[in-house]
Amino acid sequence: MKKFDAVIIGFGKGGKTLASELAKNGKKVAVIEKSSEMYGGTCINIACIPTKSLVHSADNRKYSNTSKEEFYTNAIHRKDELTSVLRDKNFHMLADQEHITVITGEATFLSDEKIKVKTAEEQLEVTAEQFFINTGATPVVPPIEGLEVADLIYNSTSLQALEQLPDKLTIIGGGYIGLEFASMYANFGAEVTVIDSNEEFLPNEDRDMANEVKKVLEAKNIKIVQNSKVESVRNQEEGVTVSYKEGDTLSELYGNAILLATGRKPNTENLGLENTSVEVNDRGAIVVDDTLKTKAKNIWALGDVNGGPQFTYISLDDFRIVKDQVFGDGSYTKKERTNIPYSVFIDPILSHVGLNERMAKEKEIEYKVLSMPAAGIPRARILEKTDGLLKALIDPKTNEILGCTLFCAESSEMINVVRVAMEAKLPYTFLRDTIFTHPTMSESLNDLFKG
């Protein structure tokens, strides 16, 4: 039996940051990660960092003299080198600390106070005063006939390990993950088809913005099939064929690879939560209160596993909440977290914060719209990335920014500037009149808010 002050299950952003904070305060901490390939968590190993490395490489293929096949293979190798370095750095960042023990093994709760950990060498029992679950999310596998026996089926993790560029890539799912991979692989030179079950393209976005995104993707020769349900998949020659219904019409599509981009679900299976007071909802997410505490008084859940927005920076903010509960006055909770931004790394990048027109209308919030095309930005012309649209919603009474959507190059940086202004409750004129360096994409906020 091993005893610790705190046990963190999962090496994700929130968990690893919390481990260091607990150790700094003299706590004896165990961090349990079931795979040595996941030290550092989802972001640096299979999500944000490797995919953005590939996005960056794909964006630069036009400057290469090598074949698209060789360029793609080299991009995969560069991505692997990057994640390997970061994984090792993250391991030693914790393992080298005096008060932290990293255990590679699978944890299962036996009770609210005890877990068993199965490692490659042994099975041991561990007790602690506090447990923090940070096990992330895992891809959803849809119930499609033939999927379990078909070859060349990938998810967002396994496709990144494919060293040979598929000539024809079929993506099942038209959400943000599917579109990010569609844009990336089209830039690598693959022929891409997206099969989307939604009647409308990007249904959560305003129609003008969604239409602009679709136009840009289709200009990359990405075929987008709406309102379609995949019926089955089967092996055929050296590829795989998808049968799908587009409305009432049954069609078939042959490809060299299929990407399942049908969402991610909280990774709670095999945790033994049935042996605890912890509850999960109908989507498999751990139920937490605004302080991220579960129904068990000594167990918290951080990151994707608690059903919140699936972003690394939200996992980090979850750490801030827990830190304030453990070491602070407990005043910072989920209630204080507003205006969460996001970026989708298609080409160009789609970023958003706050309300769009659809949400404002649903909430019956009065607004006025400012917008401008990305083609009017000098920096966009320098970058040769003139596609896109910039749009903001303003409260006509207070002049505060209600929301902003930026579909343009480098919008992932720009959206953070807008979010800071929103959080500070500054009028839109602050960004209209702020001095930005030139030529930059950020200075376009002068023009957008001048509208």
Side-chain angles (χ1 to χ4, degrees):
M1 180 80 70
K2 291 183 178 291
K3 181 173 176 56
F4 295 89
D5 295 317
V7 168
I8 297 170
I9 304 174
F11 210 134
K13 182 68 172 180
K16 68 186 181 186
T17 313
L18 178 62
S20 291
E21 186 68 24
L22 292 167
K24 184 177 73 176
N25 283 273
K27 301 288 187 180
K28 185 181 178 184
V29 183
V31 177
I32 301 170
E33 172 53 57
K34 69 178 181 179
S35 171
S36 60
E37 296 297 307
M38 290 296 291
Y39 297 143
T42 298
C43 174
I44 69 165
N45 289 292
I46 59 174
C48 318
I49 300 300
T51 56
K52 278 48 179 185
S53 171
L54 292 175
V55 166
H56 174 72
S57 293
D59 286 352
N60 287 282
R61 185 178 72 88
K62 60 185 176 183
Y63 304 116
S64 174
N65 293 322
T66 63
S67 68
K68 65 181 183 180
E69 291 80 10
E70 181 181 356
F71 183 88
Y72 172 78
T73 301
N74 290 338
I76 294 293
H77 291 167
R78 283 194 299 274
K79 177 265 298 180
D80 290 342
E81 290 172 3
L82 173 62
T83 55
S84 178
V85 168
L86 293 176
R87 187 184 310 123
D88 182 70
K89 177 182 177 181
N90 273 262
F91 173 77
H92 287 287
M93 181 177 68
L94 296 190
D96 292 350
Q97 294 191 47
E98 180 182 358
H99 296 297
I100 297 179
T101 301
V102 177
I103 302 173
T104 305
E106 187 169 4
T108 305
F109 278 94
L110 299 175
S111 69
D112 286 353
E113 294 81 24
K114 189 188 329 185
I115 61 173
K116 67 177 179 181
V117 183
K118 184 179 181 181
T119 72
E121 297 81 23
E122 60 179 342
Q123 184 166 294
L124 54 119
E125 292 189 354
V126 176
T127 63
E129 296 176 6
Q130 298 171 322
F131 288 90
F132 303 92
I133 303 171
N134 186 218
T135 50
T138 190
V140 171
V141 179
I144 298 174
E145 180 184 338
L147 198 62
E148 66 280 356
V149 295
D151 300 324
L152 306 175
I153 307 295
Y154 302 90
N155 58 33
S156 57
T157 300
S158 57
L159 187 62
Q160 295 177 60
L162 184 64
E163 294 192 1
Q164 182 176 352
L165 178 68
D167 289 330
K168 298 178 183 291
L169 174 64
T170 302
I171 299 177
I172 300 176
Y176 295 137
I177 293 176
L179 296 183
E180 192 169 288
F181 275 83
S183 178
M184 177 204 309
Y185 274 82
N187 282 353
F188 274 128
E191 182 181 319
V192 180
T193 301
V194 177
I195 300 176
D196 185 7
S197 62
N198 292 308
E199 291 186 19
E200 287 188 322
F201 180 72
L202 289 178
N204 293 327
E205 303 292 341
D206 290 337
R207 288 305 85 203
D208 55 353
M209 192 63 67
N211 291 337
E212 185 71 15
V213 173
K214 189 174 186 180
K215 181 183 74 174
V216 169
L217 293 178
E218 289 179 336
K220 298 179 185 291
N221 295 318
I222 297 171
K223 182 180 180 182
I224 300 171
V225 184
Q226 298 292 148
N227 192 26
S228 297
K229 179 183 177 182
V230 175
E231 299 286 324
S232 64
V233 298
R234 70 177 188 278
N235 293 326
Q236 184 176 349
E237 298 173 3
E238 296 182 358
V240 61
T241 293
V242 176
S243 296
Y244 64 95
K245 274 189 175 180
E246 185 178 357
D248 295 325
T249 304
L250 184 64
S251 302
E252 290 192 341
L253 178 66
Y254 173 84
N256 308 108
I258 292 177
L259 169 63
L260 301 178
T262 47
R264 296 174 64 83
K265 62 180 181 179
N267 198 5
T268 53
E269 294 180 8
N270 303 319
L271 276 177
L273 297 180
E274 66 276 7
N275 300 322
T276 72
S277 305
V278 176
E279 295 180 2
V280 297
N281 63 21
D282 56 359
R283 301 183 66 181
I286 293 177
V287 176
V288 296
D289 62 17
D290 287 334
T291 70
L292 304 182
K293 184 173 283 188
T294 70
K295 296 293 184 178
K297 63 181 181 180
N298 63 323
I299 303 176
W300 287 258
L302 298 80
D304 297 353
V305 75
N306 68 26
Q310 294 184 358
F311 301 123
T312 296
Y313 44 92
I314 295 301
S315 184
L316 177 61
D317 201 57
D318 281 356
F319 150 74
R320 298 186 185 108
I321 292 174
V322 172
K323 175 187 174 183
D324 195 45
Q325 302 305 311
V326 177
F327 299 114
D329 61 8
S331 61
Y332 186 59
T333 71
K334 286 200 298 181
K335 290 180 179 179
E336 280 66 55
R337 189 157 65 198
T338 57
N339 296 321
I340 299 172
Y342 65 80
S343 292
V344 185
F345 284 75
I346 54 180
D347 177 28
I349 302 168
L350 173 67
S351 300
H352 175 81
V353 65
L355 302 178
N356 58 22
E357 285 196 80
R358 179 187 60 79
M359 290 185 282
K361 289 174 181 176
E362 288 176 356
K363 296 176 181 289
E364 297 183 343
I365 294 174
E366 188 179 356
Y367 65 90
K368 60 181 179 181
V369 177
L370 305 175
S371 66
M372 63 174 287
I377 306 170
R379 178 66 177 173
R381 294 194 172 276
I382 293 171
L383 296 173
E384 300 179 41
K385 290 181 177 291
T386 55
D387 292 323
L389 177 67
L390 290 73
K391 183 176 179 181
L393 270 60
I394 307 299
D395 186 323
K397 296 178 181 177
T398 66
N399 280 341
E400 291 180 13
I401 304 168
L402 295 172
C404 185
T405 307
L406 306 174
F407 179 43
C408 62
E410 300 180 1
S411 70
S412 55
E413 299 288 349
M414 299 163 61
I415 202 69
N416 296 312
V417 176
V418 179
R419 199 253 177 184
V420 169
M422 292 175 65
E423 287 293 285
K425 296 189 176 301
L426 297 170
Y428 76 92
T429 52
F430 176 81
L431 293 181
R432 182 194 68 187
D433 300 330
T434 289
I435 298 173
F436 292 101
T437 56
H438 173 79
T440 62
M441 291 299 294
S442 293
E443 70 176 332
S444 64
L445 297 176
N446 286 156
D447 294 327
L448 172 63
F449 289 103
K450 188 190 300 180

